[in-house]
Amino acid sequence: MLQVLLCGVVVFPGLFFTFRKVLPSIFKQWTDADVVLVSERLVSSIHAVMATTAGIIVVSSCKGNVIMDRHWLATYFVIWYGVPYMSYDIFAMYLSHYYRFRVKGHKDYKSHSLRTVNSFVRKEFLLVLHHIALLTILLPVTLLFRKDQGDYFIGCLFLTELSTPFVSLGKILIQLGMQDCWLHKANGGMVLLSFFMCRIALFPYMYWAYGSHYGIPLYSVLFHLPLSTKLGSLCILAPQVYWFVLLCRKGYRLYKRQRDAQNQASPLSSPEPVTDISKAD
């Protein structure tokens, strides 16, 4: 078991360390905060591609019988890479937080301390809670409580990572100063689409797949599931809905800002106030 855990334990920190060494030689103007941020997002994208690939394999292999069909990746990907990645990512997020405030000159961030850790947990509480919930809910469910059933649904949960590369790409493009290019706009649309489909709509789909297997209508599935399953789904789904709302608000603000900039840059077709869109609003 120790040798298995070393796979993810070595891969993700190793990639993070490599990116931190390579990126400064390419982007010499970047600060430590920039390098750590981009390194974190690149590793997150690599893990997301791995998880999505594993999810596609598991789902396609177990679609015949969504309850009883088995695939070894449903269990071993969680052990080999899921648990090590979630543990590593908490540390990587802390480093990103630490260097972001250090380059701004905050006096508490001259060195690592309990105060900087506490500040990180308070500012990123929901993300930290999300990671801990996955470690304390998904891992025990995968290993102990499934009774060798439901690999299909574990594969579906792997697919939630499909949106992560698009989220990461958006942050990297901003870091590169490309937030006004067409690629950033197109990527923003893919972020919203992939996040909604794979992190929110996926849950009703899983309920539908469960109901179809047992011949239960969708609206009755919740009444047939044990309380622990419903609570586990709620713990995973609730932050996804919250983050999706934040993404929509951010997308709307960016759209509104660009529209206002275009209105200010374009000449007025008439001197009459009524033709000024900003005034008419």
Side-chain angles (χ1 to χ4, degrees):
M1 181 63 72
L2 180 60
Q3 292 178 341
V4 172
L5 282 173
L6 283 176
C7 293
V9 170
V10 171
V11 167
F12 299 122
L15 287 171
F16 182 72
F17 177 80
T18 301
F19 287 134
R20 284 191 66 183
K21 291 297 183 182
V22 172
L23 289 175
S25 63
I26 301 175
F27 304 97
K28 301 183 183 301
Q29 75 279 13
W30 280 8
T31 65
D32 289 338
D34 300 330
V35 172
V36 171
L37 172 65
V38 174
S39 299
E40 178 202 351
R41 301 319 305 175
L42 288 173
V43 176
S44 294
S45 297
I46 291 172
H47 168 262
V49 171
M50 294 170 63
T52 301
T53 302
I56 292 173
I57 293 172
V58 173
V59 168
S60 60
S61 299
C62 301
K63 62 183 178 181
N65 187 321
V66 299
I67 301 298
M68 301 306 300
D69 283 354
R70 303 299 311 281
H71 195 285
W72 63 272
L73 273 176
T75 297
Y76 287 103
F77 184 84
V78 174
I79 300 173
W80 291 353
Y81 296 105
V83 172
Y85 171 76
M86 289 298 168
S87 303
Y88 143 82
D89 199 41
I90 294 175
F91 177 69
M93 289 190 300
Y94 164 72
L95 285 182
S96 181
H97 165 88
Y98 174 81
Y99 282 106
R100 184 168 71 251
F101 282 88
R102 183 177 181 178
V103 298
K104 293 179 180 179
H106 288 255
K107 60 180 181 179
D108 292 336
Y109 287 81
K110 293 181 179 179
S111 62
H112 298 284
S113 65
L114 289 177
R115 182 173 295 181
T116 61
V117 174
N118 183 56
S119 175
F120 160 69
V121 173
R122 284 189 286 108
K123 290 182 179 296
E124 304 292 346
F125 177 76
L126 190 57
L127 271 174
V128 174
L129 181 63
H130 171 67
H131 281 60
I132 293 176
L134 290 177
L135 288 172
T136 57
I137 295 175
L138 183 60
L139 177 62
V141 167
T142 301
L143 298 182
L144 303 175
F145 302 122
R146 291 194 298 124
K147 299 178 180 178
D148 294 332
Q149 298 178 359
D151 283 13
Y152 179 86
F153 299 106
I154 298 298
C156 287
L157 291 177
F158 291 165
L159 295 179
T160 59
E161 290 294 329
L162 179 62
S163 63
T164 299
F166 299 109
V167 175
S168 298
L169 178 59
K171 293 185 178 182
I172 293 174
L173 289 175
I174 292 175
Q175 191 64 44
L176 294 173
M178 301 174 62
Q179 60 267 30
D180 294 325
C181 72
W182 67 270
L183 180 58
H184 185 263
K185 297 176 183 178
N187 183 72
M190 289 303 301
V191 168
L192 293 177
L193 178 62
S194 60
F195 201 99
F196 177 78
M197 295 300 297
C198 297
R199 292 188 178 235
I200 297 178
L202 179 67
F203 285 84
Y205 168 77
M206 288 193 292
Y207 289 154
W208 173 83
Y210 179 91
S212 297
H213 177 81
Y214 288 108
I216 303 171
L218 179 60
Y219 64 83
S220 299
V221 171
L222 282 176
F223 299 104
H224 289 78
L225 292 172
L227 179 61
S228 58
T229 301
K230 289 182 281 192
L231 289 177
S233 297
L234 181 62
C235 289
I236 297 175
L237 177 60
Q240 312 303 328
V241 174
Y242 172 75
W243 287 324
F244 182 70
V245 171
L246 292 183
L247 286 172
C248 290
R249 288 179 177 177
K250 181 179 180 180
Y252 175 74
R253 287 196 303 268
L254 291 174
Y255 166 76
K256 186 177 181 182
R257 186 183 308 161
Q258 292 176 355
R259 186 189 63 179
D260 292 343
Q262 290 175 354
N263 290 339
Q264 292 176 1
S266 61
L268 299 178
S269 58
S270 171
E272 296 181 5
V274 70
T275 60
D276 190 333
I277 297 177
S278 62
K279 294 181 181 180
D281 289 340

